[in-house]
Amino acid sequence: MVDQEPSVISRRRTLGGALAGGAAFAAGGLLNGCATRGDVRRRDTADPWRRFAGCTLNFVSENTAPTSAIAADAERFTALTGIHVNIVTLELSALVQKVALDLASGQSQYQIIYADSYQVLAPYADGLVDLREPASDDSLPGDDSDLADFFPLQMDVSGRFGRGDRVLALPYDCATMIWQYREDLFEAHHERMANDLGFDPTPGPQRSWEEYYRIAEWFNDNVDEVSYGTGHQAKQHDSLMCDFSNVLFAHGGQYFENGEHIGRFGAVDPGPSTLGSEEALAGAEFYRRLLSVADPASTTWDWTGLGAAFAAGRVAMCPNWHEFAADNERSLPGRVGYTTLPSGPAKSANMYGGAGIAINGNTAPNERDAAWLFLKWATSRKTQLRNLTGEVGGATPTRSSIYRAPEIRRAQQRPTGMPTMLTAPAVQQAWKPEYSGLRPKIPMWNECDTAIYTELSRMLAGDAAPRRAMRDARDHIDRIVSRGWVAAE
Amino acid sequence: MSVLDTPNPRRAESAGQQEAVEQERRHASTKRSPREGSRSSPLDRTGTGTRVVILVVLGLALLWTLVPLVWMVLSSFKPATAITSAEPSWLFTPTGEHYAGLFTGGNELIPYLWHSVAAAGLSAVLSVVLGAPAGYGLARSEMRGKRHLSFWIISTRMAPIAAVVLPLFLMFRQLGLIDTIPGLVLAYMTFNLPFAIWLLSSFFSDLPPALEESALVEGCTRWQAFRHVALPLTKPGLVTTFVLCLVFAWNDYAFALVFSGPDSQTLPIAASQLVTQAGIDWGQLCAIGTFVVVPMMLAGLAVRRWLVTGLTLGAVTGE
Amino acid sequence: MSTSEDVREPVRRRRKGAAPRRVGFTGRMMLPGIVPLAALTVLPFLTIVVMSFSDVRLLGGMRLDFAGLKNWGRFFTDPEMGWFWLRTAGYFALTLGLEMVLGVVLALCVWRLVRGRNLVLSLLLLPMFVAPVIVGLLGRFLTDPTFGLYTWLLERVGYDGDLLGGTFTAFAAVVAMDVWEWTPLIALITLAGLSAVPPTLREAAALDGAGRWQTLRHIVLPSISNVLLVALLIRAMDAIRYFDIIWVTTNGGPANATKIVPVRLYETAFRFFDFGYAAVVGLAMLFASIVVARLFVRMLDRKGLAR
């Protein structure tokens, strides 16, 4: 494209004033009219990977760890297949906007899509390719059974939607919220804490949220190395819903009846909200209490802000996405521990926030197969291993077999070259259904999410009591859900 | 300084001599430079007390204005640890790593820069090229409903971005303009063209028609009168319009986000891409911010003198 | 409709004989600008109007299914909408008001400066050339609770809350950022007006024995009132549209404290993909901005500006 543009300019310069406007339209149309792609060519080669050599694919992704690693490595894919891949990385809301517009145009500027489970997969499930087709195509490399290597929970949450066995995306990203704490401080003060609090403070799912609260308070009062015991991601943002959900689920609350099923498999019509329940209220009340002893800056932090604050040594512990382990290890080498979150009366819930990689349903058949090659390569064992260990690195594998490899097992102990693997025991536990925390996978989730974090934010700001906040959130969700999902009916 | 010699303008106007006064004032205002202006400011009567107040106000204003910018530029040369340290650090070993980082690795900045230059530049040029005749036509037109036309032109600039984006997107997709520089240029025209027409029409309205009429008498066509008489006289207006359109387009984020793609992303998009799940790279962000901001500041300051006369839309002489 | 036209005869309408030819020429001059503008705006506008009466389906190419007055009905019964508009009006009045007052004060100060006037003016102007996205991100950088420069400064003077965390302070912060960016524009325009105040006027006032304040109040300010209106109009046009700063700083939070209608519109369209409803909100916004702009234009007209 870089060599195309100068000609556009010189062309522009020659256009006289009066005609310029009309001509701009026409020139734009002509220039790109021919670029309105037909399908790519399929070659007959012996190497199944090189069938589509010479074509170009566009991949739009959120700017997450696996994509940074893959972008740094994309030349390998080009060497393997002869396919060139343009990678556009965007912040999540910008990504969702691009994907929706692309689907709305009935074409596919982006053949390969980073499919966030809640903002892309659920709303636009019918706009994505069922991957079982290319997976079972004998002329393409790889086979169906390979899909079984992904963690089952991740496969369901990130890859499927609604009834049936359709596979709409392959697990690609698997951020999970866990308990991150200053191991050094917990060790140094262990005795005193145990005496003062009357229980063993060692973090883990055997701790209750109530104990977490007391530990946080204890740090506030007794330890000078950190300003506060706990920090949270309680900005009016998606992060607030995530942070709250861990507490809500732990207390037995749910957003909808049958919430765990809706979280795992998804539904278009989830029915009435259950946020008005006593369990949900107990969760909300506890959450507000927890935030009252947390670092007051918590209400300005999303996960990023919280991650930075924790790494800067402001707080002694926090629930946050496991991927921040890399930053932690850089700023506080050897001083951070990871485990699953505390339990409430119901369970220990650890928010899973993974995403898949999918193919736009508007792609032409050969393009689709070429895109499948990329999916296949990007989620392959080799690539994931390289993404974990490589120079850019830090991406967490979604294939279970990788965690059984001896070098990965070794990397879970310090000293390690793969800091995210320090979280491996915790996240692997968090991917078991009994430890998982799953928000509802419904197409209108984004709007419900906004209603929830807005009410929560109001509650934390002192504008609404927990009961009122939960009731208002419930009413709001019911209104949203009753309107149905218009955009993709 | 002929303005000093004119009789009281109010009286002149009431006597029905608008034409002459306006012409004379225009003459004065095109020649007016800030330095001359300062001579006419009433400092002779400013007491020391007032002067101190003025200096204090300006000092505070300068602090308020400059601290964020200076801090951004400083931070762009700081090592990462100095940026995120709780105590602000004023002394540090400067590093070029953030700037270096912008030009290496996955998202290299050069194409973004090029897209920004091409899209913003072309849209500003086109806005002026199309806006000048249209503004002239509007200023000189005597059609009925001219006011409605001119109000419609302003109102197109007020269209709420998020609502118009979907129809525009589908239109552009039909024309194959998505993710192209021409597409971006057209998108920017939705807000630059009305602004250019509006601004330039006020410049042309300020020109006394007598000049063009005498050109007509001498045998010029109307186009020639526009081209050789009116246009050269509004050079400050053309430059002001160009620069403002350039700034608007260069700084745009909302449209670029929708209409650009891998082949046409602009600098503000690059800046927003530094906000990632894993954190914000503030060093690079400050570097990129410096990069986005400096050219526009230079362009703006280069035409500052004309901006002053240009942006009043003739309200100065209209009184 | 034609009343506003008749208010004042255009100054330059003199020779009747030349009129028919002129219309043809001026019309031809306008076409190349007006036609593309119409193409870029009329079609989308009509589409939005149709969308506001439809369910907008995105998948597999956009489709519009007639939905009657559903979206409009929702707009007028939405319990939250009133608050968004109220907040928007507050935000609008506060930013514009502060920018006008500060802009005029700055302009007056610069105007009275003898030495270094150009330098001071140039420095003061810088913020208006900064991209709003950068302003927002810079604002976040400066108010970051862990390492922000302004956070640190506020701590020195005894405030240790978090600017973007509290409802009131967050609102104040986004207003401050907007004021930071756009006060220079107002100052610039005002200064242009001030430089054109004929010295004779002030001299006359001085002869009458008017004090400085009285001169300012009764002579200077009235004679730049047109310029101030133009400044208000230019700024108002963009103030309703732009939301980049809020979008990158608070996203409308906390507790909706900074969620003004443009933010709500963007969210409805591009986070909830409810384009039918977004069309309604967008049209309402357009209507509101046209009313405001009309108001200012009327005031300008009444002052005798035939534009």
Side-chain angles (χ1 to χ4, degrees), chain A residues 178-438:
Chain A
I178 50 172
W179 185 351
Q180 317 193 354
Y181 60 95
R182 290 286 295 277
E183 209 162 25
D184 54 338
L185 299 182
F186 270 83
E187 267 167 26
H189 303 289
H190 184 90
E191 288 299 308
R192 252 178 80 205
M193 239 196 289
N195 281 337
D196 290 357
L197 295 171
F199 59 86
D200 173 8
T202 310
Q206 71 282 6
R207 292 281 73 75
S208 71
W209 272 108
E210 198 55 49
E211 286 166 347
Y212 182 97
Y213 169 86
R214 291 185 55 206
I215 294 171
E217 216 177 16
W218 190 89
F219 269 103
N220 288 353
D221 298 340
N222 297 294
V223 177
D224 293 333
E225 291 106 310
V226 286
S227 311
Y228 293 94
T230 181
H232 290 266
Q233 38 192 291
K235 178 180 172 177
Q236 179 168 355
H237 180 268
D238 187 38
S239 63
L240 174 53
M241 180 280 303
C242 292
D243 197 46
F244 168 71
S245 294
N246 292 322
V247 172
L248 175 77
F249 298 150
H251 283 77
Q254 284 291 347
Y255 291 104
F256 296 102
E257 200 74 56
N258 211 356
E260 301 215 337
H261 187 267
I262 293 176
R264 185 159 178 173
F265 298 101
V268 174
D269 180 9
S273 168
T274 53
L275 271 188
S277 69
E278 284 308 310
E279 291 86 354
L281 178 65
E285 271 168 352
F286 175 78
Y287 190 70
R288 191 179 65 160
R289 211 151 54 82
L290 180 61
L291 264 288
S292 69
V293 298
D295 189 324
S298 293
T299 49
T300 64
W301 291 333
D302 56 7
W303 40 71
T304 311
L306 176 60
F310 181 76
R314 242 181 105 125
V315 294
M317 56 182 184
C318 65
N320 206 352
W321 303 99
H322 79 280
E323 288 164 337
F324 284 97
D327 285 346
N328 295 343
E329 215 50 27
R330 218 171 297 131
S331 313
L332 302 164
R335 290 152 74 183
V336 183
Y338 306 93
T339 180
T340 36
L341 287 167
S343 305
K347 67 187 284 195
S348 155
N350 301 264
M351 175 63 76
Y352 169 70
I357 179 170
I359 303 177
N360 185 328
N362 296 328
T363 44
N366 287 344
E367 235 175 12
R368 188 200 69 177
D369 290 351
W372 167 252
L373 293 185
F374 182 76
L375 259 61
K376 192 78 196 156
W377 173 81
T379 58
S380 67
R381 203 164 175 267
K382 252 199 205 147
T383 308
Q384 289 202 336
L385 203 55
R386 214 171 28 241
N387 289 352
L388 175 61
T389 56
E391 207 174 308
V392 176
T396 316
T398 56
R399 287 183 173 275
S400 58
S401 60
I402 294 180
Y403 293 84
R404 292 192 292 270
E407 73 264 36
I408 301 302
R409 282 173 169 280
R410 271 197 305 278
Q412 296 174 12
Q413 307 293 329
R414 289 191 178 94
T416 176
M418 308 173 210
T420 34
M421 282 303 99
L422 293 171
T423 67
V427 291
Q428 277 176 282
Q429 187 173 42
W431 296 333
K432 293 181 181 135
E434 56 279 27
Y435 284 94
S436 71
L438 300 173

Side-chain angles (χ1 to χ4, degrees), chain B residues 32-98:
Chain B
R32 189 199 310 128
S33 80
R35 201 157 289 286
E36 283 169 296
S38 69
R39 233 179 72 196
S40 67
S41 77
L43 264 159
D44 37 345
R45 297 198 297 112
T46 305
T48 29
T50 319
R51 194 174 299 166
V52 168
V53 170
I54 287 175
L55 289 180
V56 168
V57 168
L58 284 178
L60 287 176
L62 281 174
L63 268 184
W64 161 252
T65 302
L66 294 180
V67 164
L69 293 172
V70 170
W71 194 247
M72 176 174 83
V73 177
L74 267 186
S75 300
S76 75
F77 290 104
K78 281 185 191 174
T81 46
I83 292 177
T84 52
S85 71
E87 288 275 310
S89 47
W90 297 96
L91 290 175
F92 54 91
T93 336
T95 165
E97 60 175 316
H98 305 302

Side-chain angles (χ1 to χ4, degrees), chain A residues 126-151:
Chain A
D126 292 334
L128 304 174
V129 168
D130 184 350
L131 300 175
R132 286 175 308 171
E133 288 173 37
S136 56
D137 186 337
D138 294 337
S139 70
L140 297 169
D143 65 298
D144 200 6
S145 63
D146 205 9
L147 301 181
D149 189 23
F150 294 108
F151 286 97

Side-chain angles (χ1 to χ4, degrees), chain B residues 4 22 32 34-35 37-38 40-41 43 45-47 50 54-55 57-58 61-62 64-69 71-72 75 83-88 130 133-134 136-138 140-145 147-149 151-154 156-168 170-171 186 189-191 193-194 198 202 205-206 209 213 222-223 226 247-248 251 253 257 271 275 280 282 285-286 289 293 296-297 300-301 304 307-308 311-316 318-319, chain C residues 1-2 4-5 12-15 19 21-22 25-26 29-30 32-34 36-44 47-48 51 56 62 105-106 109-114 117-118 120-134 137-138 140-142 146-147 149-150 152 156 176 180 185 188-189 192-193 195-196 198-200 202 212 226-227 230 233-234 237-238 241-242 244 265-266 269-270 275 278 282 285-286 289-290 293-294 297 301 303 305-307:
Chain B
L4 291 170
E22 205 168 283
R32 189 199 310 128
R35 201 157 289 286
S38 69
S40 67
S41 77
L43 264 159
R45 297 198 297 112
T46 305
T50 319
I54 287 175
L55 289 180
V57 168
L58 284 178
L62 281 174
W64 161 252
T65 302
L66 294 180
V67 164
L69 293 172
W71 194 247
M72 176 174 83
S75 300
I83 292 177
T84 52
S85 71
E87 288 275 310
L130 298 178
Y136 181 75
L138 192 65
R140 290 290 181 260
S141 167
E142 293 175 5
M143 63 189 271
R144 286 181 62 82
R147 295 163 153 281
H148 298 298
L149 180 64
F151 190 79
W152 170 74
I153 292 172
I154 312 177
T156 56
R157 198 174 194 276
M158 295 185 264
I161 300 172
V164 295
V165 149
L166 178 67
L168 268 183
L170 297 175
M171 225 165 96
L186 275 185
M189 298 284 277
T190 60
F191 55 79
L193 190 54
W198 190 53
S202 84
S205 308
D206 270 4
E213 275 155 15
R222 296 217 49 187
W223 168 258
F226 163 70
V247 172
F248 285 132
N251 287 348
Y253 172 69
L257 185 59
V275 181
I280 301 176
W282 288 111
L285 194 75
C286 289
V293 162
M296 287 307 105
M297 285 182 176
L301 292 184
R304 194 209 60 223
L307 280 182
V308 172
L311 274 175
T312 54
L313 301 182
V316 170
E319 193 159 335
Chain C
M1 289 292 267
S2 59
S4 61
E5 251 171 279
R12 294 170 193 87
R13 186 182 294 174
R14 271 166 293 112
R15 259 179 268 160
R21 256 186 64 219
R22 279 194 172 191
F25 177 75
T26 53
M29 291 290 275
M30 280 190 268
I34 303 278
L37 185 62
L40 284 172
T41 55
V42 174
L43 206 59
T47 317
I48 298 176
M51 271 162 57
V56 183
M62 185 182 82
V105 168
L106 277 187
C109 289
V110 174
W111 184 45
R112 294 191 152 212
L113 207 61
V114 203
R117 184 199 243 197
N118 280 345
V120 170
L121 182 61
S122 300
L123 290 176
L124 285 178
L125 285 189
L126 293 179
M128 64 179 272
F129 302 111
V130 181
V133 181
I134 302 288
L137 290 169
L138 193 54
R140 258 175 83 173
F141 182 52
L142 290 168
T146 313
F147 52 80
L149 176 66
Y150 283 176
W152 181 82
R156 294 306 88 134
W180 180 79
L185 180 72
L188 178 69
I189 298 176
S195 313
T200 44
R202 292 194 312 263
R212 259 196 305 276
N226 281 332
V227 181
V230 169
L233 180 62
I234 291 189
M237 244 167 37
D238 282 354
R241 250 159 65 97
Y242 281 113
D244 306 29
L265 168 65
Y266 193 85
F270 288 113
F275 281 102
M285 240 175 82
L286 184 61
S289 20
I290 284 179
R294 264 247 87 106
V297 169
D301 281 348
K303 296 264 180 188
L305 268 180
R307 264 172 262 290

Side-chain angles (χ1 to χ4, degrees), chain A residues 46-58:
Chain A
D47 181 356
W49 283 100
R50 297 199 69 89
R51 293 255 148 79
F52 307 101
C55 84
T56 300
L57 296 173
N58 291 333

